[in-house]
Amino acid sequence: MKTAMLNKYFNTPHESGLGKTLYQFNGLLVLTFFILTFLVWGGTGYSAGIMLLLSPLALFVKDRPLQITKEHYLIILAFSLMFVAHASAIYRGNSAAEITDLDQPMRFILIIPIFLYLKKVGFNQTWFWLGIYLAGLICGWQSIAYTAGEYGTRVSGPFNPIIWGDIGLVFCLVIGVKIHHLIKNKPQTLIPKYIELSTAAISLIAASIGVILSGSRGAWLTVILLALLFLTIAFVTLPKRISLAFTSVMIICSVLAYAYIPTVNVRINQVINELSSFELTSSNRSSTGLRLQMWYTSIIAFQESPIIGLGKSGLTELEKRLVNEDKINNWVVTESSQQHSDLFDMLAKSGALGVLILIFFYYSTMKAGSALIPPYSSTIVMTTLAYIGFGLTNTIFIGMNGTMFFLVFTVFTIVAGEREVTSK
């Protein structure tokens, strides 16, 4: 039993010493990625950075073929187009732009050699799921430890609480997918099914605590949108009685959360108050008010340049002009590095072309996921749907942690979810 367990964690499809070494080391880097996600700022980038440095070594691994499918070419094209869209938005019309401004867009390009490296060398899937379970537990633990901040009820951890809640929700969804897979299918691991189910359930609860304590209304809105999607599917595919039961449970849970969880109550009341007192030209610097004014500005930018947008510099000039015309307040200009929505940010800076690139990016990830084995296929789809939801009210692909987590996690899932290719 002990030998079989060691083989499960340390088996390798490689025959060469270099291939075996890199394969095992990659597993540890995957595990490290998940452990560091909620522990340190930028924890989502360390493992990827090391893999980038190791990627040239894949050229010397001869005993495992590099298999690239049309789905892989599609997602590589999507990565490249996202780089072009973000980089052109920074440089277009901005004579003061420097090479360091490419830091954020370059992540879409640098993930490509990491992807190809992992496709060639691979890693043990066991570390992938162990890391996810640990990340869920760390999310809950850190959330409780760091609950402080503006209202005394939100996470004040290593990075922005909005992204904290968003990433925490991804872990909730992924672990939920895994639990469903474990219940439905006979386990193919040496770990007893009830032990893995118990571990997954505890990790799911811990990650859920992180989502709640984050106070991230974008994550909560995504939960609602996903719930409505699932309910729609349920009413089509399941008996009406079961669908109504699901609906009742969701309504009851929502009411109880609002009534008894201070973070939920405070954050929902805040958005209600901000909406009721909102005026377009108000000097009140409210979270909801700023978002609405940014989105209004994005629509004006789209009207002025519908095909390619205004770029970052042109958007800033538009915001200043609208402030001078008393159409928006000056807080929008001071926060204008992003539009608090991936959709509106692309619309303003890159126009309809940018929005099409964003849609193609989402499509390519789900297309790549559709070719994977369960539960990895559902993992990719759920993660992408969650990021679409986050992107409605926040610019996930402008910041460090949100961007790196999606890119690295997507690549890890694609590699882990493909059927093992051996030298034979």
Side-chain angles (χ1 to χ4, degrees):
M1 177 69 176
K2 185 177 180 180
T3 303
M5 185 68 74
L6 288 174
N7 287 337
K8 179 65 180 176
Y9 279 90
F10 297 103
N11 68 329
T12 169
H14 293 279
E15 295 176 356
S16 67
L18 178 62
K20 289 179 179 179
T21 302
L22 291 175
Y23 186 87
Q24 303 295 359
F25 190 53
N26 288 343
L28 296 178
L29 289 175
V30 169
L31 181 64
T32 302
F33 166 78
F34 289 114
I35 291 175
L36 294 182
T37 294
F38 292 105
L39 283 180
V40 296
W41 187 91
T44 54
Y46 292 111
S47 292
I50 296 174
M51 287 181 179
L52 180 63
L53 295 175
L54 293 174
S55 59
L57 294 178
L59 297 172
F60 302 98
V61 177
K62 306 294 186 181
D63 58 359
R64 190 170 190 255
L66 175 62
Q67 294 189 344
I68 303 296
T69 67
K70 62 181 180 180
E71 289 83 9
H72 299 148
Y73 285 117
L74 202 66
I75 199 168
I76 289 172
L77 175 60
F79 289 153
S80 304
L81 290 175
M82 285 290 282
F83 165 76
V84 171
H86 283 277
S88 64
I90 291 172
Y91 278 90
R92 190 150 34 92
N94 184 9
S95 58
E98 300 177 355
I99 191 67
T100 54
D101 293 326
L102 282 177
D103 174 56
Q104 185 274 331
M106 278 301 295
R107 294 169 188 145
F108 290 101
I109 288 295
L110 294 178
I111 197 65
I112 296 175
I114 297 171
F115 177 48
L116 296 175
Y117 164 72
L118 288 176
K119 282 286 300 170
K120 176 75 172 183
V121 179
F123 60 85
N124 193 312
Q125 299 171 349
T126 307
W127 299 112
F128 178 82
W129 290 108
L130 178 60
I132 287 175
Y133 296 151
L134 287 174
L137 294 172
I138 293 171
C139 177
W141 163 53
Q142 286 283 81
S143 298
I144 294 172
Y146 282 106
T147 298
E150 186 178 1
Y151 299 102
T153 55
R154 293 189 71 185
V155 172
S156 178
F159 55 89
N160 187 293
I162 297 176
I163 305 299
W164 185 284
D166 291 348
I167 296 178
L169 179 58
V170 170
F171 281 107
C172 289
L173 296 172
V174 171
I175 296 170
V177 166
K178 180 65 171 180
I179 290 174
H180 177 264
H181 179 74
L182 288 172
I183 293 173
K184 250 186 107 176
N185 300 274
K186 183 178 179 181
Q188 297 178 350
T189 66
L190 295 171
I191 302 173
K193 185 174 183 176
Y194 71 90
I195 292 180
E196 186 168 8
L197 271 173
S198 300
T199 303
I202 294 171
S203 182
L204 174 60
I205 293 170
S208 300
I209 291 172
V211 175
I212 293 171
L213 293 182
S214 71
S216 175
R217 292 173 298 202
W220 300 348
L221 175 63
T222 300
V223 171
I224 294 172
L225 294 176
L226 289 175
L228 291 174
L229 175 62
F230 294 147
L231 284 177
T232 302
I233 296 173
F235 273 102
V236 173
T237 59
L238 296 176
K240 189 175 181 180
R241 182 176 56 184
I242 297 177
S243 302
L244 290 173
F246 281 144
T247 305
S248 301
V249 168
M250 292 177 59
I251 293 173
I252 291 171
C253 289
S254 300
V255 172
L256 291 175
Y258 178 77
Y260 294 105
I261 300 178
T263 304
V264 176
N265 183 282
V266 169
R267 294 289 287 165
I268 290 178
N269 286 341
Q270 181 189 19
V271 74
I272 292 173
N273 293 333
E274 289 174 356
L275 283 172
S276 62
S277 61
F278 172 73
E279 293 180 14
L280 193 61
T281 58
S282 170
S283 60
N284 181 31
R285 186 176 178 266
S286 69
S287 174
T288 306
L290 283 178
R291 280 177 168 83
L292 293 174
Q293 293 187 70
M294 288 175 182
W295 301 344
Y296 166 77
T297 306
S298 296
I299 294 173
I300 300 299
F302 175 71
Q303 291 174 344
E304 294 195 0
S305 182
I307 306 300
I308 61 172
L310 297 178
K312 185 176 178 180
S313 177
L315 178 61
T316 301
E317 292 301 316
L318 171 64
E319 290 168 341
K320 290 178 180 179
R321 192 177 82 225
L322 292 176
V323 168
N324 292 333
E325 295 173 359
D326 291 327
K327 292 183 177 179
I328 59 173
N329 73 61
N330 61 347
W331 282 111
V332 175
V333 180
T334 61
E335 300 287 339
S336 65
S337 61
Q338 48 92 5
Q339 294 298 93
H340 254 298
S341 166
D342 282 322
L343 176 63
F344 282 109
D345 198 70
M346 275 292 197
L347 192 70
K349 296 175 182 176
S350 302
L353 192 58
V355 173
L356 289 175
I357 290 174
L358 182 63
I359 293 172
F360 176 70
F361 178 68
Y362 290 137
Y363 167 77
S364 69
T365 58
M366 289 196 281
K367 182 67 175 176
S370 66
L372 305 178
I373 61 174
Y376 301 95
S377 52
S378 298
T379 295
I380 286 283
V381 170
M382 294 302 297
T383 302
T384 305
L385 288 175
Y387 263 72
I388 292 173
F390 304 153
L392 296 177
T393 58
N394 197 24
T395 40
I396 303 295
F397 295 120
I398 292 296
M400 160 70 178
N401 287 290
T403 303
M404 285 304 299
F405 180 82
F406 184 81
L407 295 177
V408 177
F409 183 71
T410 297
V411 165
F412 284 176
T413 306
I414 292 173
V415 174
E418 293 177 330
R419 288 179 172 81
E420 192 61 73
V421 179
T422 66
S423 58
K424 297 179 181 180

